[in-house]
Amino acid sequence: MTFEEARDYLLQKAKALGIDAEVLATHTRELTIQAHGGRVEEITQATQGGVGVRVVVEGKTGYAYSEERTPEALDWVLQEAHENALLQSETGGFLPAGSELGRHDLLGEGLSAPLEQKRQAALELEAGLRADSRVKQVQMTRYSESETQATLGSTQGVAGAFRNGYALLLTSAVMAEGSSLKQGYEFDLSKEFHTLEPGRTVQAFLQNTGRLLGARPLKTGRYKAYFEPKAFGQLLGMMGWFLLSAKNVLEGKSLLAGKIGQKVASEIFTLVDDPTLPGGLASRPFDAEGTAAKRTVLIENGILRTFAHNSETAQKMGMENTGHAARSYKGVLGIAPTNLFVQPGQGVKMDEGIVVTDLMGLHAGANPISGEFSLQALGLKVEGGEMAYPVENFTVAGNFLELLSRITALGTELEWNPMMGIVGAPMVEVAELSFAGA
């Protein structure tokens, strides 16, 4: 039985039994090629998929899933989800009404290159790194790709499917110059294998890690901060999305609760989530409940406009559903971003301060509930408008909402990074932050 046949089988059974049910089936294929020592060390191919059912009975919600698609297994899944729902407390759960959403292919022939070309990409990446005498150890060099097909349907009329995926070049290595050692990583992520260039990834690694060699300790103080896109994306993906999830607002965990329509950031700061972005790595035609994808402005010129909602949180808060429902076939209903990005600005002109190039220990050093963060960082000292020298052994600390309110300039170009979803950010200038160093 195909995934679509399994979906249709379950929905027919549910309708016959008078049960409100939603079926989400996903199938993922993954390929990983690891190169080491001038040869391909390992090739791994794997597939995973299954069918998950959400049943709602009188406001009570139950889930079950199976990776088998036999009639017996699917009958069991539907019965199990129904029985699980009856055991739950009434939470106001419901399945939203939907419609025919069509079949969408967002990947096309993007991953269709021969396996040998993908092997060569991993080997060229490693060889390019080892050709630089400053690279003392290549810890990991990898080509990966992932392709996912999602099929959704419900007894409320939702029916649709889409296919998406990506190709990735990734490396981690150690560079040295004199007594200075620096470990770094670099990646290139695309929906098209043929747009990946190992030589470009090598040069990006050598540039971004090599510029940190010979770093000096940073004196403790308050400095103007220039967050590079990757560093700001780390904070935004970890702290910003948490604050904007309506689920966290309802659970009393978000500092933004009750602030719709209020100023929460600098007036030059606009934050958007857009699943309709052409070519976007996290684009999708509809969410996990079948709500059609649409562009959502979360913060506009510093004013909080909305939270990210699924149907349940939108109903509970009396707000519009923004179409951010997310779940895997094994999981329960949640909320997740797609292509989350900061609207670029007029440009950043550096004078004095610290360029923050990378942040470390986010899970231990950033508390999204309080908004406080204290993180180890790597960076560059800016003097007289020029990057003077690299700095190390320091932490940058503050409150995320205060940071947003102190943004004084934004770069003109977006850079996309996989940070708790796909996050796009320009260079971000912040008036002043605390740096603890030597």
Side-chain angles (χ1 to χ4, degrees):
M1 196 179 295
T2 67
F3 284 105
E4 289 195 354
E5 289 169 345
R7 174 196 64 186
D8 295 343
Y9 176 88
L10 281 163
L11 293 180
Q12 288 173 7
K13 283 277 186 177
K15 288 176 181 175
L17 295 169
I19 297 172
D20 275 345
E22 177 189 83
V23 180
L24 174 65
T26 60
H27 179 259
T28 301
R29 178 192 63 81
E30 294 180 329
L31 167 67
T32 301
I33 301 171
Q34 190 132 335
H36 185 71
R39 64 185 181 85
V40 171
E41 186 178 58
E42 185 175 275
I43 298 179
T44 305
Q45 298 194 63
T47 60
Q48 184 180 34
V51 180
V53 175
R54 177 166 66 126
V55 164
V56 179
V57 181
E58 298 175 349
K60 299 182 274 188
T61 305
Y63 296 86
Y65 74 91
S66 172
E67 293 173 353
E68 291 186 24
R69 281 165 279 154
T70 62
E72 294 78 12
L74 298 177
D75 289 344
W76 175 86
V77 166
L78 185 60
Q79 180 182 353
E80 187 77 1
H82 187 225
E83 290 177 359
N84 287 341
L86 295 175
L87 292 172
Q88 304 303 313
S89 301
E90 196 277 330
T91 59
F94 67 99
L95 298 180
S99 61
E100 175 61 51
L101 298 161
R103 296 172 60 88
H104 306 264
D105 186 354
L106 307 181
L107 183 59
E109 299 300 315
L111 306 179
S112 62
L115 181 62
E116 180 57 27
Q117 290 185 20
K118 297 168 183 175
R119 290 177 72 254
Q120 286 302 318
L123 290 168
E124 288 175 24
L125 178 57
E126 197 211 17
L129 291 167
R130 291 190 185 281
D132 191 297
S133 61
R134 297 172 299 168
V135 176
K136 302 304 179 186
Q137 184 180 16
V138 179
Q139 297 165 311
M140 182 264 292
T141 305
R142 177 181 298 171
Y143 168 79
S144 298
E145 66 183 33
S146 177
E147 172 187 350
T148 298
Q149 299 185 57
T151 303
L152 181 68
S154 80
T155 52
Q156 297 300 312
V158 172
F162 68 89
R163 172 176 173 262
N164 208 348
Y166 65 84
L168 169 72
L169 275 176
L170 174 66
T171 189
S172 172
V174 176
M175 296 184 73
E177 197 168 66
S179 60
S180 178
L181 289 173
K182 280 289 173 287
Q183 179 179 350
Y185 69 95
E186 194 62 53
F187 60 84
D188 194 2
L189 187 62
S190 174
K191 292 166 77 78
E192 300 279 343
F193 166 76
H194 293 288
T195 66
L196 298 179
E197 295 181 18
R200 183 177 63 210
T201 306
V202 168
Q203 291 307 312
F205 174 84
L206 296 176
Q207 164 64 25
N208 291 333
T209 302
R211 63 182 173 166
L212 300 174
L213 292 169
R216 309 174 193 175
L218 177 69
K219 288 186 178 178
T220 295
R222 292 183 69 81
Y223 298 90
K224 183 182 289 186
Y226 303 97
F227 284 89
E228 288 196 337
K230 183 167 73 174
F232 191 78
Q234 289 173 296
L235 268 182
L236 185 61
M238 176 78 180
M239 309 280 279
W241 183 255
F242 183 94
L243 296 171
L244 290 160
S245 166
K247 184 172 182 292
N248 292 329
V249 174
L250 286 168
E251 291 174 355
K253 298 177 181 175
S254 173
L255 292 173
L256 294 178
K259 294 189 176 180
I260 293 289
Q262 296 183 24
K263 189 171 185 295
V264 298
S266 163
E267 63 184 17
I268 65 170
F269 184 82
T270 293
L271 184 64
V272 178
D273 189 76
D274 190 357
T276 69
L277 207 62
L281 289 163
S283 292
R284 50 167 172 70
F286 51 84
D287 72 359
E289 294 182 297
T291 303
K294 59 185 176 183
R295 185 176 189 269
T296 300
V297 178
L298 298 157
I299 298 174
E300 183 177 28
N301 298 327
I303 306 297
L304 178 62
R305 295 301 185 195
T306 187
F307 297 111
H309 287 283
N310 58 32
S311 64
E312 287 189 5
T313 62
Q315 185 182 69
K316 288 177 180 175
M317 295 181 70
M319 298 185 70
E320 182 183 356
N321 181 5
T322 57
H324 284 93
R327 74 178 175 99
S328 70
Y329 72 87
K330 295 181 180 180
V332 301
L333 185 66
I335 290 174
T338 60
N339 304 301
L340 179 70
F341 65 94
V342 179
Q343 198 82 43
Q346 300 299 311
V348 172
K349 187 176 181 180
M350 295 186 193
D351 44 37
E352 305 288 333
I354 307 298
V355 175
V356 180
T357 62
D358 199 5
L359 298 170
M360 292 160 281
L362 265 85
H363 290 285
N367 184 338
I369 296 176
S370 67
E372 302 294 328
F373 63 89
S374 179
L375 299 165
Q376 281 193 300
L378 296 172
L380 301 155
K381 184 78 164 56
V382 179
E383 294 178 352
E386 303 288 336
M387 294 193 191
Y389 52 85
V391 288
E392 62 181 358
N393 297 330
F394 68 91
T395 60
V396 56
N399 180 280
F400 184 69
L401 288 183
E402 291 177 9
L403 181 154
L404 292 184
S405 70
R406 291 177 182 164
I407 291 174
T408 47
L410 295 167
T412 57
E413 294 184 9
L414 277 181
E415 180 181 305
W416 295 93
N417 289 286
M419 308 287 180
M420 304 281 288
I422 300 297
V423 178
M427 175 76 86
V428 176
E429 178 187 291
V430 180
E432 197 177 65
L433 281 176
S434 293
F435 288 76

